[in-house]
Amino acid sequence: QGTAYGAFDGGEQIIGIMNAAGYDVATVGNHEFDFHATNLQARVRQAKFPIVSCNAWRRTAAEGEKTPAFAAYAVLTNRGVSVAFVGLTVPNTVVSESPGNFRDFAGGFQGWGFWGYPESAADELYARVQAAVDAARAWVPDYVVLLGHAGMLDELKPYRSYDIVANTSGYDCFIDGHSHTENARTVVTNKVGREVVVAQTGSFLATVGRLELAKGEVPRSMLLKNIEGADAEVARLEDRLIGYLDQWLSEKLVDLGFDLPAKSPADGTWIIRTRTAAIGDLEADAFYWYANRDGKAPGADVAIVHGGGIRDGLTAGPITLKEAASVNPFLNEMLVVEMRGRTLLEALEWGARAAPSPANSKLLHVAGLRYSIVTNLPPRVGRVRDVTVYDRADGIWKPLDPARDYRVAGM
């Protein structure tokens, strides 16, 4: 996920590779909804393993009853040992993804969502998790494992894996995701005072987690790297996918004379999410240029780019369609909308709320607009200052007018 390989067919070949690899169970995160919930339903049917989430809901009418979109848990047995896996999805997925990806095609209403959203309803998430754990325990498994796409970063409160553990009980450990954190083992006290191990493996299979369970003992968790050996069928499917796309996306677009990194070369942190960066400026400038090309009317006053949507930088040298697709792999389309100035300011504030934290994925890169961020202020209390918009007719920068409508390009 997050590459052109995962995006071009909505994940169909990725699920094929997961089937060949012998996955036993999975949960869903925000990016499983990149290509609309109906596509995810097709991938669930394709999967030869259960996909579980206790807090995702579905409805078939605008005011219809919300019903579970997936099974809440799965009980698996291997060599006489039974393990119940309870799934959960971070509830703000419904806003971190495009809202249109959750709409019913026929009725236009929100057909999918998550119990526990908004943040003020976090107790609803905890209750759903607890009910699913209790239901799974009724099968008397040897162990219960929470399999969640929640995350560990402070900005994810109250949905972090730590928050969920502190408000629930009845399971032995929590295998987490979402924040791409490499965390072999953190022990958290649950609602009834028992110790629960929480672990996460990072991203892109840079590490593989190993969890060891033993009766009466706190689970052991570790991260493994540099694992040798590959399944022949998995390797064949992977090579076929990569080879096909590499050939299809091999067209050269331009020669680039310098690097445009999205991550710090020193430590791998996302510079695109912490401060202005040339790759973000380039993309915003491209949107601005395209919306206004050849004096096109009415054009766009401003272009904005969400830092979390940029998934890679560009390296000096020939740039092909493959490199370009790696920057924005989610097949989103550019559009121009009218936005009131105060709403645009609120969007800038939202994007700046965690800057300069490397965990912040919301920072907005802009063209046709300038602003500064006061980072020593708390979130959402006027961090964004000095907002000006370029007036193309007059050729000068003017202060943002909260009462005026602006045409904003983005995706």
Side-chain angles (χ1 to χ4, degrees):
Q1 185 54 275
T3 70
Y5 304 117
F8 92 103
D9 66 352
E12 181 176 351
Q13 294 199 52
I14 297 299
I15 292 293
I17 292 172
M18 293 176 71
N19 285 337
Y23 275 73
D24 293 302
V25 64
T27 191
V28 294
N30 52 308
H31 285 299
E32 276 63 61
F33 292 89
D34 282 348
F35 311 104
H36 199 273
T38 52
N39 177 79
L40 175 56
Q41 288 181 311
R43 301 289 72 78
V44 171
R45 291 191 294 269
Q46 178 192 356
K48 296 179 180 179
F49 48 89
I51 295 177
V52 293
S53 177
C54 70
N55 68 308
W57 56 257
R58 171 78 171 104
R59 63 184 173 193
T60 56
E63 301 300 326
E65 180 185 0
K66 298 174 182 177
T67 59
F70 306 94
Y73 62 90
V75 181
L76 308 179
T77 301
N78 188 1
R79 288 180 284 186
V81 178
S82 60
V83 180
F85 292 91
V86 176
L88 70 93
T89 307
V90 61
N92 62 8
T93 290
V94 76
V95 290
S96 65
E97 286 291 306
S98 171
N101 290 348
F102 302 93
R103 292 202 172 277
D104 183 272
F105 279 135
F109 56 87
Q110 184 182 345
W112 289 264
F114 303 91
W115 284 295
Y117 181 81
E119 293 177 3
S120 58
D123 286 345
E124 189 177 41
L125 168 65
Y126 309 149
R128 284 277 163 178
V129 170
Q130 191 63 66
V133 169
D134 294 344
R137 294 204 75 85
W139 292 84
V140 197
D142 295 301
Y143 304 98
V144 178
V145 174
L146 211 56
L147 185 64
H149 198 81
M152 297 179 168
L153 305 174
D154 284 346
E155 70 172 79
L156 297 171
K157 294 178 180 178
Y159 301 136
R160 298 176 308 165
S161 48
Y162 306 144
D163 303 315
I164 295 166
V165 171
N167 286 278
T168 55
S169 64
Y171 47 92
D172 300 283
C173 56
F174 191 142
I175 300 175
D176 194 15
H178 190 42
S179 58
H180 301 185
T181 309
E182 286 194 14
N183 187 323
R185 185 177 187 270
T186 296
V187 177
V188 183
T189 302
N190 72 5
K191 187 177 180 179
V192 297
R194 282 194 57 189
E195 292 184 337
V196 175
V197 169
V198 181
Q200 191 178 155
T201 60
S203 57
F204 293 108
L205 284 178
T207 66
V208 174
R210 178 183 176 91
L211 183 66
E212 296 180 356
L213 303 170
K215 280 293 185 182
E217 298 181 12
V218 176
R220 296 181 59 202
S221 177
M222 61 205 77
L223 300 183
L224 308 178
K225 297 189 177 185
N226 303 317
I227 299 175
E228 296 183 358
D231 179 87
E233 177 62 8
V234 172
R236 184 188 71 81
L237 292 173
E238 180 185 25
D239 290 344
R240 184 182 69 177
L241 171 60
I242 292 174
Y244 172 75
L245 275 199
D246 283 356
Q247 181 179 14
W248 184 47
L249 299 174
S250 62
E251 179 186 347
K252 179 181 171 182
L253 301 176
V254 69
D255 284 307
L256 187 64
F258 42 83
D259 292 343
L260 296 174
K263 292 183 177 181
S264 166
D267 58 14
T269 56
W270 288 98
I271 58 175
I272 195 70
R273 301 180 179 185
T274 62
R275 61 185 184 273
T276 185
I279 186 68
D281 292 341
L282 173 64
E283 186 165 321
D285 287 346
F287 289 174
Y288 188 77
W289 167 82
Y290 189 79
N292 295 308
R293 67 193 186 283
D294 302 325
K296 185 175 181 178
D301 302 300
V302 174
I304 59 176
V305 172
H306 175 222
I310 297 176
R311 310 303 278 197
D312 204 354
L314 296 172
T315 303
I319 302 300
T320 66
L321 281 170
K322 177 185 174 182
E323 280 79 35
S326 72
V327 177
N328 290 121
F330 301 125
L331 306 182
N332 296 325
E333 296 181 1
M334 191 195 91
L335 72 162
V336 179
V337 299
E338 286 197 352
M339 185 180 297
R340 191 61 53 89
R342 65 175 61 93
T343 303
L344 180 54
L345 180 59
E346 289 171 359
L348 295 172
E349 285 282 2
W350 177 258
R353 69 187 185 124
S357 166
N360 180 46
S361 62
K362 305 166 184 67
L363 188 68
L364 294 181
H365 302 266
V366 296
L369 181 145
R370 294 172 176 170
Y371 70 105
S372 58
I373 304 171
V374 182
T375 58
N376 61 353
L377 289 176
R380 307 182 199 176
V381 290
R383 285 181 135 214
V384 171
R385 307 286 177 87
D386 309 319
V387 185
T388 58
V389 178
Y390 184 69
D391 188 314
R392 289 181 290 123
D394 295 340
I396 59 174
W397 292 89
K398 297 180 179 180
L400 178 78
D401 182 352
R404 180 193 154 181
D405 287 333
Y406 292 90
R407 292 183 58 81
V408 181
M411 70 177 185

